[in-house]
Amino acid sequence: MTLVKELLSGSKRALARVISQVENDAPAAHEALAALFPHTGHAHLVGVTGAPGTGKSTLVNCLTMAFRERGDSVGIVAIDPTSPYSGGAILGDRIRMRDLSGDSGVFIRSMASRGSLGGIARKTADVVKVMDAAGFDIVVIETVGAGQSEIEIARLAQTVLVVEAPGLGDDIQAFKAGILEIADILVVNKADDPRAGNTERALKGMLELADGRHVEQMIWHHGMLIAAAMPAGSSTDESWQVPIHLTNAISGDGVTALVNEIYNHRAYLNESGELSRRTYARVAAELDLQLREHLMRRLLKGVDIERLQSLIVEVASRRTAPHQAVETLLDHCE
Amino acid sequence: MTDRKIRVLIAKPGLDGHDRGAKVVARALRDAGMEVIYTGLRQTPEMIAEAALQEDVDCIGLSILSGAHMALVPRILEVLEEYEMTGIPVVLGGIIPDEDVAALKELGVTEVFGPGAITVDIVQVIQKAVAARE
Ligand SMILES: Nc1nc2c(ncn2[C@@H]2O[C@H](COP(=O)(O)OP(=O)(O)O)[C@@H](O)[C@H]2O)c(=O)[nH]1
Ligand SMILES: [Mg+2]
């Protein structure tokens, strides 16, 4: 428990250690998370997602400098993919965040996506909670724009920036389904590229076609284990018009306006009641997922492994159909 | 249930603008299942120590081709101590004369790899050094 105390009194070393415990699912992690949970809820969580190479890390560098100018401290969780072949990873986001070094109000942590398929590591939500408890005013989460990460980042962050850039393949193709539903703010980075105007126009056209945003419904997943009621007053989130911002993350052009917009969005979430609706949906989804994991683990303990092995042989030699094998296993579960 | 991975910081201190070797090593470590935090060129000792602390790495790999190793490494070890990172394994790659290798090991560097080093050896040295600390 001393590590948690040290973390709460500002030790960066303790913060780094607790993050590792959480990431590794170490035995001490559960206790630490429980002790830290009452200290969470202060940070504003900003998600930055988009395809690789759009300039997310470079933009996070600029954004963080601007947050610091306003006096806000910043924790950054930067996620890069784990190699499916070796389980290892090269985490290179820090290369673009040089300007932040030496500032004690900034803490950068690189994370590999490890087991998860999406652009977010399974443990990201817990790591973000640890940073929140450490007292950062803003926590920025940079994800790999791939797989299920759109929904995952919507579940985790309060303000989601979707970053696009010109010249990364066919513009419309690049805007995958789902992106407009989760974006609170759209960013066209690399505004110095002459094609940026086309990207912006394409995005505008898509925004006009979109039928409103349903962020809570996105967070709240279908097929929840236990039917809880959706929060009262939940509706299409129409009062926030998704803005498009052009930025040049290398020169910093457009970044001040973008940072202003992030603060606007935070104020909007608070004033409209949208924040508490999203929080409700997020907590429901989180509990549902954890319940699922624990139930699954508990149930799997009852599966007779020897029987399973002999059934695999039977199915492989086509003596038993897969669904029959599963039924046999279920019949013999404790 | 723990999902432990060896985390290594690969950094290039000093002013030489060459990071091909560092990248080869980074990829080899990744292929051996490690998580490599790659920080790029021209890292100051303070940047290296800060990154090692924030990333809670198990090992630091330095690539120095400029010949300035006898100035840079002692300074980096000193700053690591200031950051309470004493005892973390540090391995060094570069063109380092034998007498300097002895002196650097004396200072606490775990191993020094010359241009002919094979990556399998680097992987093994890191795995051993990390295991020895646990
Ligand atoms: N021209 C231009 N290049 C940029 C801009 N922002 C980032 N880049 C470059 O785009 C590349 C990818 O940037 P990075 O931040 O690593 O992208 P990420 O993969 O989305 O995190 C780097 O070479 C950056 O220097 C920008 O606004 N304009
Ligand atoms: Mg990046």
Side-chain angles (χ1 to χ4, degrees):
Chain A
M1 238 351 67
T2 53
L3 209 51
V4 167
K5 272 199 201 119
E6 284 173 32
L7 183 162
L8 290 172
S9 60
S11 160
K12 296 288 161 58
R13 182 107 182 88
L15 170 58
R17 285 259 164 94
V18 173
I19 292 175
S20 298
Q21 291 180 345
V22 167
E23 234 196 328
N24 294 335
D25 224 346
H30 284 254
E31 223 179 303
L33 282 169
L36 290 174
F37 188 68
H39 300 274
T40 60
H42 166 75
H44 187 65
L45 312 182
V46 178
V48 179
T49 190
T54 47
K56 297 180 295 296
S57 300
T58 316
L59 192 61
V60 169
N61 180 62
C62 289
L63 287 174
T64 302
M65 287 196 289
F67 290 139
R68 295 293 296 134
E69 271 168 31
R70 311 260 188 128
D72 280 339
S73 59
V74 185
I76 299 168
V77 182
I79 301 150
D80 272 324
T82 290
S83 155
Y85 306 106
S86 67
I90 293 181
L91 312 173
D93 293 320
R94 286 188 94 98
I95 299 171
R96 313 273 175 225
M97 302 185 194
R98 293 178 70 91
D99 296 332
L100 308 178
S101 70
D103 181 348
S104 63
V106 176
F107 187 101
I108 308 170
R109 182 63 176 238
S110 313
M111 264 183 104
S113 59
R114 295 202 182 173
S116 88
L117 291 174
I120 286 201
R122 250 179 66 232
K123 295 289 172 195
T124 307
D126 286 337
V127 169
V128 167
K129 282 197 190 91
V130 174
M131 285 216 181
D132 185 353
F136 292 104
D137 300 310
I138 294 179
V139 175
V140 179
I141 306 125
E142 179 190 334
T143 83
V144 191
Q148 287 296 301
S149 59
E150 275 73 38
I151 294 178
E152 287 172 11
I153 194 66
R155 251 179 220 150
L156 182 58
Q158 291 154 344
T159 298
V160 175
L161 271 55
V162 174
V163 183
E164 294 287 349
L168 289 170
D170 182 274
D171 279 346
I172 301 289
Q173 286 284 316
F175 312 141
K176 288 175 297 184
I179 267 198
L180 295 180
E181 277 89 343
I182 62 148
D184 296 302
I185 300 169
L186 286 167
V187 180
V188 178
N189 189 41
K190 306 195 184 181
D192 49 312
D193 186 308
R195 293 163 296 180
N198 290 340
T199 308
E200 185 192 10
R201 267 191 299 282
L203 277 176
K204 258 194 192 134
M206 291 191 61
L207 274 179
E208 281 160 12
L209 287 173
D211 67 327
R213 285 151 25 85
H214 308 268
V215 178
E216 300 121 61
Q217 283 91 332
M218 290 273 297
I219 297 170
W220 186 271
H221 55 92
H222 291 290
M224 295 260 253
L225 284 178
I226 296 170
M230 265 293 262
S234 66
S235 60
T236 310
D237 177 19
E238 271 165 351
S239 42
W240 176 259
Q241 297 296 321
V242 178
I244 303 177
H245 281 265
L246 270 71
T247 56
N248 176 343
I250 290 175
S251 70
D253 284 348
V255 170
T256 305
L258 177 57
V259 162
N260 287 339
E261 197 76 81
I262 293 170
Y263 285 109
N264 281 346
H265 185 252
R266 179 173 68 177
Y268 154 78
L269 287 175
N270 282 316
E271 286 154 18
S272 64
E274 179 71 10
L275 185 65
S276 48
R277 284 195 293 275
R278 287 193 192 183
T279 302
Y280 188 98
R282 180 174 301 122
V283 170
E286 190 180 345
L287 290 185
D288 186 80
L289 283 174
Q290 289 202 14
L291 189 61
R292 239 170 244 270
E293 254 182 44
H294 281 89
L295 284 176
M296 189 65 89
R297 219 176 285 160
R298 193 182 291 177
L299 288 172
L300 285 176
K301 272 193 198 142
V303 175
D304 183 342
I305 298 296
E306 273 172 36
R307 199 182 293 275
L308 169 65
Q309 267 152 2
S310 64
L311 282 166
I312 293 172
V313 175
E314 283 189 32
V315 175
S317 60
R318 305 196 182 265
R319 274 176 283 152
T320 305
H323 74 271
Q324 287 173 310
V326 169
E327 269 168 29
T328 310
L329 278 174
L330 289 175
D331 286 344
H332 290 88
C333 261
E334 284 149 31
Chain B
M1 269 308 288
T2 62
D3 186 14
R4 183 95 171 73
K5 290 267 162 71
I6 294 178
R7 287 169 66 86
V8 184
L9 179 77
I10 296 287
K12 267 201 68 70
L15 298 176
D16 60 308
H18 225 293
D19 67 347
R20 244 189 31 233
K23 281 181 174 158
V24 169
V25 171
R27 280 196 291 269
L29 299 182
R30 176 200 59 197
D31 293 344
M34 300 182 194
E35 291 180 353
V36 182
I37 291 93
Y38 192 75
T39 51
L41 298 169
R42 286 184 264 281
Q43 300 283 304
T44 64
E46 286 76 15
M47 288 165 95
I48 292 170
E50 183 185 51
L53 181 138
Q54 294 179 351
E55 302 287 356
D56 192 27
V57 291
D58 304 294
C59 177
I60 300 172
L62 302 173
S63 161
I64 305 177
L65 302 173
S66 60
H69 47 273
M70 290 315 285
L72 288 168
V73 175
R75 177 78 192 120
I76 290 168
L77 294 175
E78 212 175 279
V79 179
L80 282 171
E81 205 158 307
E82 282 165 28
Y83 280 70
E84 293 173 60
M85 299 288 287
T86 326
I88 184 166
V90 174
V91 299
L92 173 63
I95 306 162
I96 320 279
D98 287 347
E99 62 269 26
D100 290 351
V101 172
L104 290 167
K105 285 191 174 174
E106 190 68 29
L107 282 171
V109 171
T110 305
E111 193 55 86
V112 178
F113 296 98
I118 51 173
T119 53
V120 182
D121 290 340
I122 303 177
V123 167
Q124 263 180 10
V125 162
I126 291 176
Q127 282 169 339
K128 256 198 212 140
V130 172
R133 276 190 98 205
E134 289 186 343

